[in-house]
Amino acid sequence: MELSVIILNYNVHYFLELCLLSVQSALTNIDSEIIVVDNNSSDDSCEMVKSRFPNVKLIQNNDNVGFPKGNNIGVDEAKGNYICILNPDTVVAEDTFEKALAFAQKQKNLGIVGTKLIDGTGIFLPESKRGIPKPWVAFTKVAGLYKIFPKSPLFNKYYAQHLSENETGEVEILVGAFMLLKKELYQELGGFDEDCFMYSDDIDLSYRVLQKGRSNFYFHETVVIHYKGESTVKDGIYMKRFKEAMEFFYKKHFKVSFLFSVFMKCGIVLFSIIKRIQGRVKEKIVPKKYLLISDSEILIKIIADLVQKKVDFLNWKTEKEVNLSSISVRNGVRVILDNEFVTFKECINILERFKNMGVTFRIVPKSSKFIIGSDSSNERGEIIKFE
């Protein structure tokens, strides 16, 4: 078998369903398997997987064992030569795995391959590529110097700004939302370090790959949506675990002075507080206008009833070839993409096309009875069910 996709789930039923639909579509031409490891979810995630995705291998843990151990459990059951660690709040394009595998197979000293990640509004997520957060690099991040001097090698290492978001190349650290690597290497490294519950596990694994003399790559030629806000709630527990994660990584890999340790603890607390503030629930964006991209006349009536407003309709079957720039989409518009007719890759392209234009997006997953999406990577998304 060529590829095993490992998805660790915890209480994100609807995002997992969307993710699995996209992964299934992307694995059509690959000898592969999907393994979902559930960390004792209290929602009906497991029932959904069993009923809708009977060919997916489901592992149900009796406790929330954390990100590292949960993924390690999944990899232990994997049969693929390559594995992909994938978050449940992601959407891959139909050619994501084919492109990433083809790239990986060309590398002579392969470590991990990561892809370009965008949030639910099409905005690039800079953590798609990072540098080792050594003391100075961490300082440039906490102090915001990487924003002031994005082109300076002295200040731009945290987000690997020697590469643009649309440039493939070697980087040091990749994010755990999407990590493609050989199973043999993962096992040689002992997988994710289970002493870390979450948050610095991907940094640690990436760093240990480098210590083995392997190269990690940021691959921009395929784009993956990472809703991100679904991964965790930015509350007091988040702050505690984030601080513990950073302390774990530094204690494990670096010897630092007492003064720097004090500085880092202050920085970690400050950074955690900022993350918490960013994650606070904000006033919901109320769309001024709705645009459904679909072929379904029935769906437009359903959505109009749900939102209690007129919904414009773009028939994707007849207008698919229209240049997107000619579509009347502007600030305040909510674009609803019907995945029954609009492929995942086309959905991703549309998000990128209209990013930074005040446009919000939702997807109606194929053969589903809900609308899903997010307006911010710092907070939970929105799910609207219908019959």
Side-chain angles (χ1 to χ4, degrees):
M1 185 177 289
E2 189 170 15
L3 176 65
S4 298
V5 179
I6 317 296
I7 303 172
L8 179 66
N9 177 69
Y10 182 66
N11 287 331
V12 287
H13 166 142
Y14 295 101
F15 282 91
L16 174 63
E17 187 171 343
L18 175 63
C19 176
L20 286 172
L21 283 169
S22 73
V23 172
Q24 272 193 340
S25 297
L27 294 177
T28 303
N29 301 318
I30 301 173
D31 181 18
S32 58
E33 65 179 349
I34 305 171
I35 299 173
V36 170
V37 181
D38 185 80
N39 264 351
N40 197 30
S41 293
S42 57
D43 64 8
D44 57 353
S45 293
C46 293
E47 288 71 21
M48 179 275 294
V49 173
K50 290 174 186 176
S51 62
R52 182 149 196 200
F53 304 96
N55 294 326
V56 168
K57 182 168 187 177
L58 175 64
I59 301 172
Q60 294 179 249
N61 292 328
N62 294 324
D63 299 293
N64 183 358
V65 297
F67 182 90
K69 187 172 182 178
N71 277 295
N72 290 346
I73 289 171
V75 174
D76 284 344
E77 297 294 322
K79 299 176 182 176
N81 182 31
Y82 287 86
I83 60 168
C84 180
I85 305 298
L86 186 70
N87 267 29
D89 55 350
T90 57
V91 177
V92 301
E94 283 76 5
D95 59 1
T96 287
F97 295 120
E98 290 181 16
K99 283 186 172 182
L101 279 170
F103 175 80
Q105 289 161 356
K106 293 177 183 177
Q107 310 311 315
K108 294 181 179 179
N109 197 33
L110 179 68
I112 306 172
V113 176
T115 64
K116 179 179 178 180
L117 301 174
I118 61 173
D119 68 13
T121 65
I123 303 296
F124 173 67
L125 293 172
E127 63 267 25
S128 301
K129 53 182 180 66
R130 290 176 288 179
I132 301 168
K134 293 178 180 177
W136 170 251
V137 176
F139 174 76
T140 63
K141 163 64 178 174
V142 173
L145 296 174
Y146 72 97
K147 293 181 180 179
I148 302 172
F149 307 103
K151 295 183 179 180
S152 168
L154 186 63
F155 301 107
N156 68 2
K157 294 186 184 299
Y158 189 88
Y159 285 126
Q161 289 165 286
H162 66 286
L163 292 177
S164 73
E165 64 180 85
N166 294 318
E167 184 179 5
T168 293
E170 288 190 34
V171 296
E172 293 170 328
I173 305 297
L174 294 163
V175 65
F178 185 107
M179 285 182 151
L180 181 86
L181 67 159
K182 285 190 173 182
K183 180 183 176 183
E184 180 182 16
L185 175 59
Y186 189 94
Q187 291 178 317
E188 183 182 339
L189 294 165
F192 287 111
D193 190 329
E194 295 180 13
D195 287 335
C196 178
F197 189 82
M198 62 193 308
Y199 297 129
S200 68
D201 31 57
D202 49 4
I203 299 174
D204 174 65
L205 185 68
S206 299
Y207 186 63
R208 286 188 284 126
V209 166
L210 299 179
Q211 289 178 318
K212 284 284 185 181
R214 302 296 186 96
S215 298
N216 296 326
F217 294 91
Y218 166 73
F219 180 63
H220 85 282
E221 293 179 31
T222 187
V223 182
V224 173
I225 301 173
H226 182 202
Y227 287 106
K228 190 179 173 182
E230 298 308 305
S231 301
T232 189
V233 179
K234 307 295 192 296
D235 56 11
I237 295 175
Y238 167 87
M239 288 177 61
K240 179 177 180 291
R241 287 181 177 165
F242 182 84
K243 178 176 178 293
E244 289 172 350
M246 289 294 96
E247 289 176 340
F248 162 82
F249 181 73
Y250 276 93
K251 286 178 181 178
K252 180 174 179 178
H253 294 293
F254 297 105
K255 292 181 179 179
V256 296
S257 67
F258 173 76
L259 182 62
F260 184 79
S261 295
V262 172
F263 164 76
M264 278 309 301
K265 285 182 179 180
C266 294
I268 288 167
V269 171
L270 176 61
F271 192 52
S272 300
I273 292 172
I274 291 172
K275 283 288 185 181
R276 186 182 181 187
I277 292 171
Q278 289 176 338
R280 285 178 179 169
V281 177
K282 299 176 183 177
E283 186 177 346
K284 287 187 177 182
I285 298 173
V286 179
K288 299 175 183 176
K289 187 177 180 181
Y290 290 84
L291 171 65
L292 172 65
I293 300 181
S294 175
D295 288 0
S296 172
E297 296 285 353
I298 296 174
L299 187 58
I300 192 171
K301 294 177 182 177
I302 292 172
I303 292 175
D305 288 341
L306 284 173
V307 301
Q308 296 294 302
K309 284 187 179 181
K310 179 180 179 296
V311 178
D312 290 335
F313 183 66
L314 187 152
N315 191 314
W316 195 239
K317 189 173 184 178
T318 59
E319 301 180 61
K320 183 177 179 180
E321 301 303 322
V322 175
N323 188 326
L324 287 176
S325 62
S326 68
I327 298 174
S328 180
V329 176
R330 52 191 172 275
N331 188 51
V333 172
R334 171 152 296 166
V335 176
I336 301 173
L337 301 154
D338 182 2
N339 178 232
E340 195 73 48
F341 305 99
V342 187
T343 68
F344 288 109
K345 186 172 182 177
E346 289 167 339
C347 288
I348 291 168
N349 288 341
I350 290 171
L351 261 66
E352 284 206 287
R353 167 66 182 82
F354 294 110
K355 66 182 178 183
N356 293 319
M357 292 177 65
V359 178
T360 56
F361 304 92
R362 296 293 183 268
I363 295 175
V364 183
K366 185 180 295 186
S367 302
S368 299
K369 298 294 184 183
F370 62 91
I371 302 170
I372 191 167
S374 172
D375 301 334
S376 169
S377 60
N378 292 313
E379 60 188 57
R380 287 190 179 278
E382 180 183 54
I383 298 151
I384 301 176
K385 304 174 194 176
F386 61 87
E387 294 298 329

